[in-house]
Amino acid sequence: MSVDDAALVRLCLLGNPDAIGILVARYHSDVFGMCVRLLRHQQDAEDVTQEVFLRVFRSLERWDSTRPLRPWIVGIAINRCRTWLGLRSRRPETVDFLDETLVAPNVNANETRELSAEIQSAVQDLREDYRTVFVLFHEQGQGYEDIARAIDRPVGTVKTWLHRARMEILERLKRRGLVEEETRRPTSGE
Amino acid sequence: MTCRVCDELIVAYMDGESPDALDAHALICPESARHRADTDQLLAALSLLPRPEPPVGLAQRIVHAVRKDFRQRNQARQLRWMAPLVLTTVAGLFFTFGIVFLTPDITRPATPEPIAIQEGVNQARDEVASLTIRTAQETARLFPHVEVSNLVPPQMPEQGSPLQPFREAGEIVSSGLQPLTDPACRAMSLFFRDLPVDAR
Ligand SMILES: [Zn+2]
């Protein structure tokens, strides 16, 4: 990383084309990943990612430079996805949700491939707020503080949602026999 | 999960902290031991969760859209600054041209409106006069022996001051009606004079 976010933003505000390119390159993967997970639609995710960056650059003057930039951008992405989901639910035409599961780069065995596909659909089926914190934590590697800023909720709520998301995924993988049920002992109730 | 200690330790473990505390607790808590094993399996499974990668060219499309938006907003901002200036200039030009071209010319002759009114009044006057004269003549024809030497068309004075035509119209109407009223009076007196004495 050559330029820190605050300096990059200052250059962007001056209309520096290189700075705009660097900022987009730095964060478009996070934004797109979030959009794919929340919208479950490739084309919608691309459109919303572009829309998110237009909003980011339009409101860059309002960014508080004492706070990290990434949660701020991700927060805008989450809001745009929610708005988009609201609009899409009111559209009469049916939406072709993302069918094909993404394949992890180092996956070869059929069993592992199946586990990878199952965990993806488990994530997709989480309720929206659980899915958001899950993706931010496990896919994007963000910390609790940053997630709390992005979704504008207390850290305690983030931890609770994240824990519930993990438990739901784990239960689903167990039901499908993709993780060993033997580890569960009949000692106490869930 | 019913064990609160396990709850906290599992979260810490998943956050990347050392599992030592969790393992120590798992020795005395079977539920925690089970959750420790579950967590390991979940972490292994999550490593297989592929991250959605943006398609090739998306970043360039975004940069292009952002730069275009930046230019448009700049232009709009400049327009916002320039608009009051342009409006002030245009208003100033209108004001200046307005003073030069729209001020009433006091050396010019009277505006056409009074002439039109005067012509209308003259026409109405002529109509009323000719109507009264015709009526008077018809009345006089019923009484041929009556002298109607005063049945002459009234003299139409030339136009003078703007109020004069109205005054003249009033005079003409009354004088125009006079030939009608005078023969009527005379006809009535003749009628009474020729009546048989006993009928009077
Ligand atoms: Zn325990």
Side-chain angles (χ1 to χ4, degrees):
Chain A
M1 198 193 295
S2 52
V3 190
D4 70 79
D5 283 343
L8 193 60
V9 167
R10 278 196 296 277
L11 289 170
C12 287
L13 287 171
L14 294 171
N16 184 307
D18 294 334
I20 293 171
I22 293 169
L23 195 140
V24 170
R26 196 173 283 179
Y27 293 112
H28 85 295
S29 188
D30 282 349
V31 171
F32 177 77
M34 192 76 242
C35 291
V36 165
R37 290 295 183 216
L38 289 183
L39 302 173
R40 295 183 287 171
H41 191 276
Q42 177 82 17
Q43 190 55 53
D44 283 1
E46 288 182 31
D47 292 347
V48 174
T49 301
Q50 181 166 317
E51 207 182 296
V52 166
F53 278 98
L54 286 174
R55 280 187 179 258
V56 162
F57 282 97
R58 279 177 199 165
S59 43
L60 212 48
E61 285 164 354
R62 292 197 291 275
W63 171 63
D64 177 358
S65 58
T66 61
R67 287 162 176 263
L69 183 62
R70 183 155 78 157
W72 184 73
I73 292 177
V74 170
I76 293 175
I78 293 167
N79 281 336
R80 288 318 299 162
C81 285
R82 283 178 183 158
T83 307
W84 191 272
L85 286 168
L87 292 171
R88 197 166 70 182
S89 68
R90 273 177 258 144
R91 280 207 308 249
E93 73 264 31
T94 53
V95 178
D96 294 325
F97 288 107
L98 208 57
D99 284 334
E100 89 265 28
T101 45
L102 305 158
V103 179
N106 51 355
V107 169
N108 292 314
N110 277 347
E111 199 180 319
T112 321
R113 205 178 268 270
E114 194 188 345
L115 179 58
S116 174
E118 188 58 37
I119 199 166
Q120 282 184 72
S121 26
V123 171
Q124 302 292 42
D125 291 345
L126 289 171
R127 49 179 259 200
E128 192 213 295
D129 38 14
Y130 291 5
R131 191 159 74 234
T132 303
V133 294
F134 184 88
V135 167
L136 290 173
F137 189 90
H138 285 292
E139 271 193 1
Q140 304 194 358
Q142 298 201 37
Y144 293 125
E145 294 284 343
D146 283 356
I147 297 172
R149 280 196 193 100
I151 64 169
D152 199 22
R153 298 276 171 164
V155 169
T157 306
V158 172
K159 286 184 175 177
T160 305
W161 287 357
L162 187 60
H163 179 68
R164 287 179 187 163
R166 286 167 181 159
M167 289 302 113
E168 275 188 28
I169 291 170
L170 187 63
E171 285 306 311
R172 179 164 166 161
L173 296 180
K174 279 179 179 173
R175 278 200 303 275
R176 303 283 161 110
L178 291 164
V179 296
E180 286 174 28
E181 193 73 27
E182 286 87 329
T183 55
R184 176 182 255 177
R185 303 236 177 275
T187 46
S188 63
E190 283 290 303
Chain B
M1 214 189 297
T2 52
C3 177
R4 301 284 303 172
V5 179
C6 175
D7 214 346
E8 285 170 21
L9 292 173
I10 289 280
V11 169
Y13 176 48
M14 288 206 82
D15 289 348
E17 285 182 26
S18 160
D20 292 350
L22 179 63
D23 288 342
H25 176 73
L27 290 172
I28 54 157
C29 177
E31 189 194 354
S32 296
R34 177 164 60 83
H35 278 295
R36 162 75 206 267
D38 283 351
T39 303
D40 285 339
Q41 291 202 77
L42 180 65
L43 287 174
L46 289 180
S47 70
L48 296 172
L49 180 68
R51 198 186 150 140
E53 287 302 321
V56 178
L58 179 64
Q60 282 90 332
R61 287 207 300 279
I62 293 169
V63 168
H64 180 76
V66 167
R67 284 182 188 163
K68 191 179 166 191
D69 187 58
F70 196 88
R71 277 197 303 273
Q72 284 172 344
R73 281 186 300 127
N74 257 357
Q75 283 167 358
R77 205 174 295 150
Q78 281 169 357
L79 271 179
R80 269 202 299 280
W81 276 100
M82 281 172 67
L85 187 71
V86 171
L87 279 177
T88 312
T89 312
V90 169
L93 285 172
F94 267 109
F95 186 70
T96 312
F97 278 103
I99 284 179
V100 172
F101 290 110
L102 299 179
T103 310
D105 189 352
I106 47 169
T107 61
R108 223 183 284 165
T111 46
E113 283 86 343
I115 293 169
I117 291 170
Q118 202 169 320
E119 279 173 359
V121 169
N122 287 347
Q123 205 175 344
R125 178 197 61 194
D126 293 349
E127 289 294 326
V128 171
S130 71
L131 178 68
T132 48
I133 289 164
R134 202 163 59 240
T135 312
Q137 282 170 343
E138 278 164 12
T139 311
R141 230 174 283 127
L142 291 172
F143 307 99
H145 53 280
V146 177
E147 181 116 11
V148 282
S149 59
N150 55 344
L151 287 181
V152 285
Q155 293 299 308
M156 304 300 161
E158 291 304 307
Q159 61 189 45
S161 76
L163 279 176
Q164 202 178 341
F166 293 98
R167 203 183 308 124
E168 285 169 357
E171 286 168 5
I172 287 160
V173 167
S174 59
S175 68
L177 284 173
Q178 204 177 359
L180 179 66
T181 49
D182 285 356
C185 285
R186 270 187 233 115
M188 287 300 287
S189 58
L190 284 172
F191 174 72
F192 281 109
R193 194 192 65 193
D194 294 345
L195 272 178
V197 178
D198 52 349
R200 267 188 244 176

